[in-house]
Amino acid sequence: ALQWLALMAKTGQRADSLRAMLPKYPQVLVNVPVRPGYEFKRSSALMAQVAQCQQQLGAQGRVLLRPSGTEPVMRVMVEGQDPKVLQGMTDCISALIAAENQTEPLPI
C-alpha cells in the first residue's frame, strides 16, 4: 500500500488512472491433496514441469506452488494470458503432485 501511495505521489496520478494501466490476467487455482510431510521441492519431475511452464509463460505469467497452512493440500496457481493454456498447465502440474501422493486434485 505504501508503494502504491508513493507511486501516486511521484506521478501525480490518481489511483484509478494508475490501476487502469495494470493488465489483468486470468488465474487457474487447484488444490491437490498431499500426504503429511510432502516436500514438493524435492521432486525433480515436478520442478522440471514448473520450470517448463514458467519458461513458456515468460514475463507474461507465473506459476505458484505452495502448501496450505491449514489443510493437507498443495495449492497450484497458474496466471497468464490464455485461460486454455493455463488450464492445461494446471492440470499437468496437479496430476504430477497427485500421482506422487496417490491422490486426486480437488475442484475449487
Side-chain angles (χ1 to χ4, degrees):
L2 292 176
Q3 291 294 328
W4 188 256
L5 292 173
L7 182 62
M8 289 173 55
K10 182 178 180 179
T11 63
Q13 295 187 38
R14 295 169 31 127
D16 57 345
S17 63
L18 288 173
R19 188 180 61 215
M21 294 188 300
L22 295 174
K24 288 188 177 181
Y25 292 121
Q27 294 179 343
V28 177
L29 175 65
V30 175
N31 289 331
V32 184
V34 294
R35 66 183 183 280
Y38 175 61
E39 295 184 31
F40 70 98
K41 291 182 181 179
R42 291 187 177 210
S43 170
S44 58
L46 179 60
M47 292 295 97
Q49 184 62 48
V50 169
Q52 180 182 354
C53 292
Q54 188 61 62
Q55 183 178 11
Q56 184 178 346
L57 292 169
Q60 301 302 314
R62 65 183 176 142
V63 178
L64 176 67
L65 299 181
R66 72 172 189 85
S68 169
T70 58
E71 52 190 335
V73 298
M74 177 67 61
R75 302 203 194 284
V76 179
M77 190 275 298
V78 182
E79 179 180 74
Q81 294 177 323
D82 185 343
K84 289 182 183 180
V85 170
L86 302 178
Q87 188 64 56
M89 289 178 175
T90 305
D91 291 346
C92 186
I93 293 169
S94 297
L96 276 171
I97 295 169
E100 289 181 353
N101 287 274
Q102 300 177 345
T103 62
E104 292 293 322
L106 299 172
I108 292 191

